[in-house]
Amino acid sequence: MPERKSRKDAVRNREAVLAAADALFARCGRPEDVTMADVAAAAGVGKGTLFRAFGDRAGLLRALYEARLEPIREAAEAGPPPLGPGTPPQQRATALLDAILCFKFDNRRLALALEESGSGSPYQAEHYAWWHGLLRAVLDQVPGLTDSDFTAHALLAATRADLVEHLAGHERVPRETARAQLANFTTRVLASGPARGSSAEDGPATTDRN
Amino acid sequence: MPERKSRKDAVRNREAVLAAADALFARCGRPEDVTMADVAAAAGVGKGTLFRAFGDRAGLLRALYEARLEPIREAAEAGPPPLGPGTPPQQRATALLDAILCFKFDNRRLALALEESGSGSPYQAEHYAWWHGLLRAVLDQVPGLTDSDFTAHALLAATRADLVEHLAGHERVPRETARAQLANFTTRVLASGPARGSSAEDGPATTDRN
DNA sequence: GAAGATACGGACCAGCGGTCCGCTTTTCAA
DNA sequence: TTGAAAAGCGGACCGCTGGTCCGTATCTTC
């Protein structure tokens, strides 16, 4: 039980920091030049407070990221089709990847900051393991598909934040185009038969903040 | 003409630095804790020399990487099949990806260092553009394949250094298994018809240094 | 309202990439 | 051979970052 309740100034500050960091990352071009001191200043808080609340830089990023991701995570875990369970595996896999892509698209800066500054490999992050596990399980139900473990990694790699940023930011690929291409790619991977064309279905709610 | 020749102590030092950096990156676990000062010390050289020769950290990494990559690059550009031109596109694409995978496998630490510390996105690196352009051109010749641009990105993403490191280092996937899985994945993507099984063919010379 | 627990915040620290400039080595023309 | 200018050397030094520390302010509890 414990969960010893925090002091109210503590929670106020915690939220102030999250909001400030959110805004800063959304604004600034390269995430690595949003400094901890910047965040603290923008939140009207001392550095000590910031580090006390989140441990270190990676902790702050993680907290932000997880907060944003949670709705999608829930939708994928127990929501309605096509994201939730009870959907044919091909379709669900496509929907999952599409959701991830949209998320990264809408939260590019943050995802980028987390993947590159997030204390080492993105593959050690808890949320990656979660996505991978889920996708792997779904792929296991696709008839005729082997190597579900590797395949899940490879498909997820197509949604890496820096790739998304490159496509969207540098090559100026519109969101819907990227979605369609990823869906098409996914279909190719999952289909044993001739690849059927597949355009992006109507998608996850956009929470565009950047 | 010009190409004003360097002083001999300069070239000696340059090579000493490359060798030292090579050794250090090969040895140490995480590339970010091989510091420039370490490299300089290991090469028996001052930091000034190091920075004069390579500009900055990214420059050093790039120089090392390019040097290692050149043979493969040449083999891909004008070598014998299955890597070189004059190979059926499916087969060549598979061979290219296999070669990249092997390269990253054998030079994990270095590739990792470059991709994560290499001044921003790996997608802005010259060598990435080169690989992508080549693969894209090959994919363009695969009948029934659309979105060659995106597809090339997605396939290359499956060979990212940190993914390779994760597979090899964390999940303990043997080299040959990874090769077979990537080949299988590639085949699935490229084949419009039923996926034919495909094991890794006899591969690029291994230059295992790590 | 007093005492104890909790959190604040900014001065402070260590370590990094990168610069600078007085000094040494090499080069090359005479 | 020589001597002076060009080229390069190297390590003290700088700015900036993530992260720590602890005297002080605020909240909670009785």
Side-chain angles (χ1 to χ4, degrees):
Chain A
M1 16 130 251
E3 281 302 308
R4 183 177 233 82
K5 79 178 177 185
S6 305
R7 254 168 58 169
K8 73 179 178 207
D9 53 350
V11 314
R12 174 172 40 79
N13 279 332
R14 184 185 171 90
E15 268 169 43
V17 166
L18 280 173
D22 208 353
L24 285 185
F25 278 113
R27 265 168 194 63
C28 239
R30 286 170 348 202
E32 67 263 33
D33 51 44
V34 172
T35 156
M36 292 290 105
D38 290 343
V39 175
V45 155
K47 278 179 65 178
T49 302
L50 197 163
F51 280 96
R52 166 178 311 274
F54 298 97
D56 59 2
R57 184 174 226 265
L60 172 59
L61 271 325
R62 241 179 287 129
L64 262 175
Y65 196 81
E66 296 288 343
R68 292 276 192 89
L69 198 55
E70 201 189 297
I72 298 178
R73 215 161 163 169
E74 277 176 18
E77 208 163 32
L83 224 56
T87 313
Q90 264 114 327
Q91 199 181 326
R92 190 171 179 210
T94 305
L96 287 172
L97 287 163
D98 186 52
I100 299 179
L101 180 66
C102 288
F103 179 77
K104 298 258 182 105
F105 214 101
D106 296 334
N107 302 282
R108 279 181 262 174
R109 300 317 200 309
L110 178 56
L112 213 45
L114 186 62
E115 283 190 15
E116 77 187 19
S117 160
S119 119
S121 170
Y123 291 96
Q124 298 184 19
E126 183 214 341
H127 61 91
Y128 183 83
W130 188 85
W131 282 117
H132 180 261
L134 178 56
L135 183 56
R136 182 198 203 290
V138 173
L139 293 184
D140 269 331
Q141 297 172 15
V142 174
L145 202 158
T146 56
D147 300 335
S148 64
D149 200 280
F150 178 85
T151 306
H153 280 305
L155 286 173
L156 286 173
T159 70
R160 294 263 313 241
D162 46 7
L163 177 52
V164 172
E165 169 63 22
H166 177 70
L167 292 174
H170 255 256
E171 296 190 2
R172 298 276 164 211
V173 177
R175 180 189 164 103
E176 296 310 312
T177 305
R179 291 179 65 196
Q181 289 176 337
L182 178 63
N184 194 5
F185 183 79
T186 308
T187 302
R188 276 189 162 266
V189 172
L190 299 190
S192 313
R196 305 157 308 165
S198 160
S199 53
E201 330 80 83
D202 30 0
T206 152
T207 4
D208 208 322
R209 311 277 301 280
N210 288 327
Chain B
M1 5 105 259
E3 281 303 308
R4 182 178 234 80
K5 78 176 177 187
S6 305
R7 258 170 55 169
K8 72 181 178 206
D9 51 350
V11 315
R12 175 172 39 78
N13 279 332
R14 184 184 170 91
E15 269 168 42
V17 166
L18 280 174
D22 209 354
L24 284 185
F25 279 114
R27 263 168 194 64
C28 238
R30 288 176 341 211
E32 67 264 32
D33 51 45
V34 173
T35 154
M36 292 291 105
D38 290 342
V39 175
V45 154
K47 277 179 64 176
T49 302
L50 196 162
F51 280 96
R52 167 178 312 272
F54 298 98
D56 59 1
R57 188 187 166 97
L60 172 59
L61 271 326
R62 241 180 285 130
L64 262 175
Y65 195 81
E66 295 288 343
R68 292 277 190 86
L69 197 55
E70 202 190 295
I72 299 179
R73 214 160 162 170
E74 278 176 19
E77 209 162 32
L83 225 55
T87 313
Q90 265 115 329
Q91 200 181 328
R92 190 170 179 214
T94 305
L96 287 173
L97 287 163
D98 186 52
I100 299 179
L101 179 67
C102 287
F103 179 78
K104 299 261 183 104
F105 214 102
D106 297 334
N107 303 283
R108 277 181 263 172
R109 298 320 201 307
L110 177 55
L112 212 46
L114 186 61
E115 283 189 15
E116 76 186 22
S117 159
S119 116
S121 170
Y123 291 96
Q124 298 182 19
E126 183 214 341
H127 61 90
Y128 183 84
W130 188 85
W131 281 117
H132 179 261
L134 178 56
L135 183 56
R136 182 196 202 291
V138 173
L139 294 184
D140 269 331
Q141 298 171 14
V142 173
L145 201 159
T146 57
D147 301 335
S148 65
D149 201 280
F150 178 84
T151 306
H153 280 306
L155 285 172
L156 286 173
T159 71
R160 296 264 312 242
D162 47 6
L163 177 53
V164 171
E165 168 63 21
H166 178 70
L167 291 174
H170 253 257
E171 295 189 2
R172 298 278 163 210
V173 176
R175 182 191 161 102
E176 296 311 312
T177 305
R179 291 179 64 196
Q181 289 177 335
L182 178 63
N184 194 6
F185 182 78
T186 308
T187 302
R188 274 188 164 265
V189 172
L190 299 190
S192 313
R196 305 157 307 165
S198 161
S199 53
E201 29 298 14
D202 29 0
T206 152
T207 4
D208 208 320
R209 311 278 302 277
N210 289 325

